[in-house]
Amino acid sequence: MTEPYLRIEKLTKVYERGQVLALDALSLDVEKREFLVVIGLSGSGKSTLLRCINRLIEPTSGRIMLGSVDLTRLSPERMRKMRRRMGMIFQHFNLIRRAPVITNVLTGRLGYMPGWKAMLGMFSKEDQDRALESLERVGLREKAYVRADELSGGQQQRVGIARALMQEPEILLADEPVSALDPATSHSIMQYLEWMNREREVTVLASLHFLSLARRYGTRIVALKDGQRVFDGPPAEIDNAKFKEIYGEDAEEVEVR
Amino acid sequence: MQGYPEGYLSERPRWTTPAGLVNLIGGPLGLVGRRLSMILLDMAAVALLWVLVTYAFLWYVHGDIGYTVIPWWLFGLFVFELAAAWNSFGVAPSQRLSGVHLVPSEGGRMTVWHRLLHFLAWHVSVLPIVGLLGRRPWHERLSGTRTKRVESGAIKPAPWYRTSVGIYAAVILVVVVVAALGVTVSMANLRRLVTDAWRAGNIWRAFFSPDTTILQTVVRDLLVTFFMAVLATAFAVVVAVPLSFLSARNLMKGPVGRSVYTALRGAMSITRSIEPIVWAIVFLVWVTARRAPFAGVLALVVHSIADLVKLYAEQLEGINPGLPEAITATGGGRLAVLRYGVLPQIINPYISFTLYRWDINIRMATVVGVVGGGGIGQRLYAYLQGHMYSQAGTAMLLIVVLVWAIDYLSSRIRAKLA
């Protein structure tokens, strides 16, 4: 019996304001190279879970073991170094809107630079070449010098992916990566994540709203409800009864094709 | 069509109708006025650079800031020539502002010959002013050039009308209420305004016959006021930027942070509620009246800091937290988050607020001068006290020109930044 790649033990998060229990002693093991999709209603704790892993949010209690390292015990500086190995993409892309695409992609290297170089924006030649490569990878090479806010939503999310690629991550945290996009674009974005998972051997943790997307791309699905795990298994196992349990009695499944 | 009043060329009504007559005269007048103001803007820019360079030079030579007095007509000549050269051989501020550059009217590339002709033609066109009439000004016709809008793949301007019935209703309501109040309050004055008009006659006559012999003194005082405002704004920015970070609610968390925030915000709002004039009087006593302009600057600095901290901090509180979060997630440290997560979201508003404050400080510097804070305000007050209305008229005229120019400049730049 070997150690799991990422082990989450009794993770709890209580938001002080309003005393909301976002994660309720959640335990979860993730294997290397899994494409884990987290589903659940808004407020079920999906975002909190992902953000606790790279400690954008500090957990209230519990442990997160990456190999033999307890992420919750790391000093801020060690955690900062650890974050370099974890790419993250966001629902609203979180790009520097007024800056050119290439600058946005280069920010993926900030974790590898001393603070003063970051402050002066002194990116190395290799990093700049790498940025263009990443953009090539997501099909946006010719948009490198266009302002980020001039791109469409799907293109902006691809810039987000290129930024994450720059980190050369082992883990990719995708927080509702397609919720702000239309169905056709959603598939294109999910395929880039799938490519990272298969070709770059990146372990992906993605939260999604649409079950159809979760079934199509996930190798495993975890459903959360009120901060607890209510389903954990391969995509095929979610039937109508399970669906009603996760999303409530009145829910109807919406297909995304 | 650049520079023409709306509809001036497309449809010219017959000049025999009243509207046609207005258009016949008003159209070209507006055109000349616009072109002339652009040229004056360039000359002001040259003059400013000139003054700055001489200041720097004298400081380097004598280790002290001083003036070199050259005859003002010579100064004017230099400024005119340099502005002409700037327009012909480079891209002058006015050209940059209106987003145009010089191209040959026949197509092809600009040559030095074109530029030289343009420079020479400038003299026969701009000096008699009539050269600015017409679809293309004389200096462009004579040199075979024209101005062309610079194409850019940059941002398209947003439509200026973004409005709704609610806004109209609110505006109308405010206008009606203010007008009603104003009329009620000033009724008694309105009658006297008409019947006692003769009293002011002498003053107005004097105002409109400016005394040009004191031009040099007045311009020097105007410069003092100008630099008081520049200096005050610069000082205030240096202090206000760090303070703004300490006064932003979203950055100051925890018990210590929150108390710093509360203390700073409180201190700033008290400081802001005390008028610059009062500060000027305090500082006049403090640094003595021998250094009146310094006292004026200090008064402006204090008030500007309080104002800017509030404006800056509100901007900081309004940033989208997603971007700093994304930079943190890449493993970026504090500085990286500041540089790429926060700075891009605040830099333009900060510049914009600073320009706005500078604009205010120009006017405030005059007001502060009235209580003895140096510069043109003090001079103006002295003239008025001594019933020297012609001289006061000269001073007021120049104040108007300066305030108008700065106001125009800062609003143009701010519009670009928005």
Side-chain angles (χ1 to χ4, degrees):
Chain A
M1 179 74 197
T2 53
E3 285 265 300
Y5 176 60
L6 178 71
R7 159 166 278 178
I8 292 162
E9 283 175 17
K10 297 204 171 126
L11 190 66
T12 302
K13 174 65 190 179
V14 181
Y15 286 109
E16 296 297 332
R17 263 182 296 183
Q19 291 287 307
V20 180
L21 185 63
L23 290 176
D24 186 1
L26 181 77
S27 294
L28 188 68
D29 287 354
V30 184
E31 294 304 328
K32 197 159 174 59
R33 298 196 56 193
E34 260 187 315
F35 194 124
L36 180 77
V37 175
V38 185
I39 59 171
L41 289 170
S42 300
S44 60
K46 306 189 295 287
S47 277
T48 307
L49 171 62
L50 294 181
R51 281 173 166 72
C52 278
I53 293 173
N54 64 0
R55 271 176 59 195
L56 286 180
I57 291 175
E58 289 293 337
T60 308
S61 67
R63 294 206 301 172
I64 303 170
M65 304 295 296
L66 183 65
S68 56
V69 181
D70 183 358
L71 296 182
T72 59
R73 299 244 180 283
L74 289 180
S75 70
E77 183 55 24
R78 301 255 326 265
M79 188 61 223
R80 186 181 78 72
K81 294 230 163 73
M82 189 60 84
R83 284 195 191 111
R84 303 189 297 205
R85 293 158 61 186
M86 308 174 176
M88 187 160 192
I89 59 178
F90 301 84
Q91 179 179 3
H92 296 295
F93 326 129
N94 291 351
L95 302 177
I96 307 169
R97 300 174 53 81
R98 289 170 175 275
V101 166
I102 185 92
T103 307
N104 274 290
V105 177
L106 280 167
T107 58
R109 294 305 288 178
L110 287 172
Y112 293 89
M113 298 159 69
W116 64 272
K117 272 199 175 179
M119 198 71 202
L120 297 175
M122 291 170 65
F123 295 101
S124 68
K125 184 76 181 63
E126 297 90 86
D127 285 348
Q128 297 187 23
D129 291 342
R130 206 197 302 252
L132 289 176
E133 261 170 55
S134 300
L135 279 173
E136 181 88 63
R137 191 49 249 173
V138 297
L140 288 175
R141 173 67 182 78
E142 78 284 4
K143 297 280 186 193
Y145 299 100
V146 174
R147 267 172 62 144
D149 57 3
E150 286 179 16
L151 301 186
S152 69
Q155 289 172 325
Q156 292 194 36
Q157 192 58 293
R158 276 144 71 193
V159 175
I161 293 173
R163 176 173 66 190
L165 273 176
M166 290 292 281
Q167 292 175 238
E168 302 181 308
E170 296 170 28
I171 301 179
L172 183 72
L173 306 167
D175 183 24
E176 299 191 16
V178 298
S179 296
L181 303 175
D182 61 65
T185 319
S186 296
H187 274 293
S188 139
I189 294 300
M190 290 309 293
Q191 276 157 15
Y192 281 112
L193 300 193
E194 191 173 44
W195 167 80
M196 279 177 85
N197 178 241
R198 291 193 181 156
E199 307 296 322
R200 294 282 173 102
E201 309 195 352
V202 175
T203 308
V204 177
L205 280 81
S207 63
L208 291 175
H209 263 308
F210 288 112
L211 196 53
S212 58
L213 286 175
R215 282 207 184 102
R216 159 81 178 71
Y217 294 98
T219 59
R220 177 180 161 202
I221 294 180
V222 166
L224 295 184
K225 190 177 183 184
D226 301 328
Q228 290 178 322
R229 186 166 48 160
V230 292
F231 174 85
D232 188 347
E237 277 182 25
I238 294 198
D239 51 24
N240 208 34
K242 273 286 166 206
F243 179 79
K244 292 248 149 114
E245 193 186 324
I246 299 163
Y247 285 100
E249 286 302 319
D250 303 329
E252 282 298 332
E253 191 180 342
V254 181
E255 282 280 313
V256 172
R257 291 191 184 281
Chain B
M1 282 295 167
Q2 233 253 297
Y4 281 82
E6 185 84 7
Y8 168 55
L9 285 178
S10 54
E11 40 171 301
R12 271 192 223 181
R14 290 156 52 85
W15 60 270
T16 45
T17 65
L21 207 58
V22 167
N23 209 16
L24 188 72
I25 301 164
L29 266 186
L31 180 67
V32 169
R34 215 158 312 178
R35 284 180 175 156
L36 209 56
S37 64
M38 282 304 194
I39 290 164
L40 287 175
L41 180 77
D42 289 341
M43 289 175 57
V46 171
L48 179 63
L49 280 176
W50 177 286
V51 169
L52 287 176
V53 168
T54 44
Y55 266 39
F57 179 73
L58 287 172
W59 194 32
Y60 181 74
V61 174
H62 301 301
D64 195 5
I65 290 180
Y67 306 95
T68 324
V69 183
I70 60 166
W72 67 270
W73 59 266
L74 193 62
F75 180 69
L77 184 68
F78 277 134
V79 167
F80 179 81
E81 292 298 324
L82 285 171
W86 202 349
N87 268 281
S88 307
F89 292 96
V91 182
S94 68
Q95 290 167 322
R96 230 175 254 290
L97 271 180
S98 41
V100 297
H101 62 170
L102 223 48
V103 294
S105 50
E106 308 295 328
R109 296 175 62 101
M110 281 297 282
T111 60
V112 178
W113 182 238
H114 278 123
R115 294 183 183 283
L116 202 62
L117 272 179
H118 187 272
F119 175 71
L120 293 174
W122 188 269
H123 294 82
V124 291
S125 168
V126 177
L127 274 183
I129 293 176
V130 285
L132 300 177
L133 270 166
R135 177 190 275 266
R136 265 167 75 204
W138 286 4
H139 47 273
E140 285 175 18
R141 284 183 205 215
L142 288 171
S143 58
T145 57
R146 67 191 176 87
T147 49
K148 185 174 164 242
R149 193 157 271 286
V150 182
E151 286 127 41
S152 63
I155 342 103
K156 287 177 193 70
W160 57 271
Y161 51 91
R162 239 170 231 246
T163 179
S164 65
V165 180
I167 293 176
Y168 285 136
V171 168
I172 290 171
L173 191 72
V174 168
V175 167
V176 167
V177 168
V178 168
L181 270 174
V183 166
T184 316
V185 169
S186 61
M187 192 54 109
N189 298 348
L190 204 63
R191 201 168 298 145
R192 289 192 56 179
L193 192 67
V194 180
T195 55
D196 292 358
W198 58 271
R199 286 178 200 270
N202 287 338
I203 294 182
W204 283 113
R205 246 193 306 286
F207 277 163
F208 286 110
S209 53
D211 177 0
T212 50
T213 56
I214 54 148
L215 210 56
Q216 209 158 355
T217 320
V218 172
V219 166
R220 193 178 304 161
D221 284 329
L222 206 62
L223 272 177
V224 170
T225 297
F226 178 83
F227 281 104
M228 277 167 67
V230 171
L231 196 63
T233 313
F235 269 151
V237 168
V238 171
V239 179
V241 167
L243 283 187
S244 68
F245 281 80
L246 298 177
S247 312
R249 192 198 302 264
N250 52 342
L251 302 181
M252 300 304 282
K253 287 179 177 149
V256 179
R258 199 33 67 88
S259 44
V260 170
Y261 160 84
T262 313
L264 260 178
R265 274 293 174 98
M268 289 302 137
S269 78
I270 292 169
T271 313
R272 201 168 47 245
S273 64
I274 299 171
E275 287 295 314
I277 288 199
V278 179
W279 285 111
I281 292 168
V282 170
F283 284 115
L284 268 171
V285 176
W286 192 333
V287 302
T288 77
R290 274 178 49 225
R291 296 193 174 273
F294 183 45
V297 168
L298 288 172
L300 293 178
V301 166
V302 169
H303 203 256
S304 301
I305 288 173
D307 196 25
L308 284 177
V309 165
K310 176 169 182 277
L311 292 172
Y312 288 169
E314 276 168 6
Q315 201 59 39
L316 269 173
E317 284 172 359
I319 65 169
N320 166 20
L323 189 53
E325 193 181 38
I327 303 298
T328 309
T330 65
R334 248 174 235 274
L335 286 176
V337 173
L338 187 68
R339 167 71 180 80
Y340 289 96
V342 179
L343 203 61
Q345 300 193 59
I346 59 168
I347 184 77
N348 279 5
Y350 269 41
I351 295 174
S352 196
F353 285 137
T354 307
L355 283 172
Y356 167 69
R357 186 62 218 188
W358 178 52
D359 186 346
I360 292 177
N361 278 350
I362 294 271
R363 277 172 280 143
M364 286 273 190
T366 312
V367 176
V368 159
V370 170
V371 297
I376 191 75
Q378 194 168 3
R379 182 77 59 189
L380 177 64
Y381 190 62
Y383 285 150
L384 288 173
Q385 288 281 292
H387 302 286
M388 299 163 74
Y389 295 118
S390 294
Q391 286 78 357
T394 315
M396 291 206 298
L397 190 72
L398 287 174
I399 291 171
V400 167
V401 170
L402 179 72
V403 168
W404 172 83
I406 301 298
D407 184 71
Y408 176 78
L409 192 70
S410 106
S411 68
R412 279 304 288 259
I413 298 173
R414 279 185 284 132
K416 291 250 149 140
L417 288 173

